[in-house]
Amino acid sequence: MGNYLGEEIPKLGFGLMRLPMKDNAIDLEQTKEMVDRFMEAGFCYFDTAYGYNDGESEKAAKAALVDRYPREKFLLATKLPAWAGAKNKEEAEQMFYTSLERTGAGYFDFYLLHNLGEERSYFFDDYGIWDFLQERKKEGLIRHLGFSMHDKAEVLDEILTAHPEMEFVQLQINYADWEDPSIESRKCYEVARKHGKPVIIMEPVKGGTLANPPKEVSEVFAAADPEASPSSWAIRFAASLEGVITVLSGMSNVEQMEDNLSYMKDFKPLTAEEQAVVEKARDVFNSFPKVPCTACAYCMKGCPKNIAIYGTFQAVNIYNMYNDLAGAKGKYEWNTSGHGWGKASECIKCGKCEQVCPQHIHIRDELEKAAEVLEK
């Protein structure tokens, strides 16, 4: 073993969230081929979750991996979302046993409380899931216990202070979000390191948007290395950080697998010159017009229509920076309807929000523009 949990684990993990599809179902044959190539290249970490593909991802893990390889040859991680449909403690606990049954794995190498943050964290507290999973760990059904989180660094600090028994944390980290005030990739990473927790990185390619970035960003990378794919820069940036267990890539076909393996098989961290190239790419992203919102949420406290103001601006900025309308609309739905907040078009232009905005954003105008783009 190395100096930290997972130091010896290869730095590319296979995320089973966006598996290849065929006839509205997971394409098992292509998934098996991807698993085989991944394993042949010397990699071993697979990440799924109770809710991925309505449970079909865990079943695919059984069919493509667990049933075909000796159990000691791979590491399997899955996650328990206590906030997703569990009406009581018993239903939340049952999620663990359902995952065990679906995967047929016998035990989980890494097990996570899924997607802490915002109001979701309370479900794990209310249902006693922290203690429940510690008991399963004592029984040998879990080897390493941690959690994933999409929230601010301050929240992460509170959770790790309250739960020092957690062995690792899974965070959204990529070069585009590194300094983003609404995601705080760098700050979250630094909090995890301060608490001595190793990190599993998710969204290194930001849901695929960094695999096909805007032309201005692609040109920065192409000038530095015409042979390297934009994805390679993104994944190597994440894998070059210290204290990383592995970097999860949600690969959707054999071609993506081949691309990832090509530069991660003999992984070399970014050189100082390459780090400078990534910083230049980030500067280009930051030069695109965006709403300068820091997600402080002061504006939402007095909003008579309960509009998801900063969630709307987050979605607008995805569109402005990545030219990804589908991704922006998905984020918008999640940030509004998905959380019970109002939409931009519901604004009555009372102006209360603008009186308290520290960034002096013309919120009413920006909401009107956002509705034009995101609600059509």
Side-chain angles (χ1 to χ4, degrees), residues 175 204-205 208-213 221 228-238 247 249 256 259-260 263-264:
Y175 71 82
V205 195
T209 49
L210 302 183
N212 187 21
F221 291 134
S229 67
S231 299
S232 72
W233 289 94
I235 289 175
R236 287 181 62 224
F237 168 81
V247 177
S249 179
Q256 290 174 6
D259 179 59
N260 283 357
Y263 49 83
M264 290 304 289

Side-chain angles (χ1 to χ4, degrees), residues 344-345 347 349 363-373:
S345 57
C347 173
K349 299 196 182 303
I363 295 173
R364 290 171 286 186
D365 295 346
E366 294 294 350
L367 287 176
E368 194 174 329
K369 286 191 263 182
E372 282 285 306
V373 175

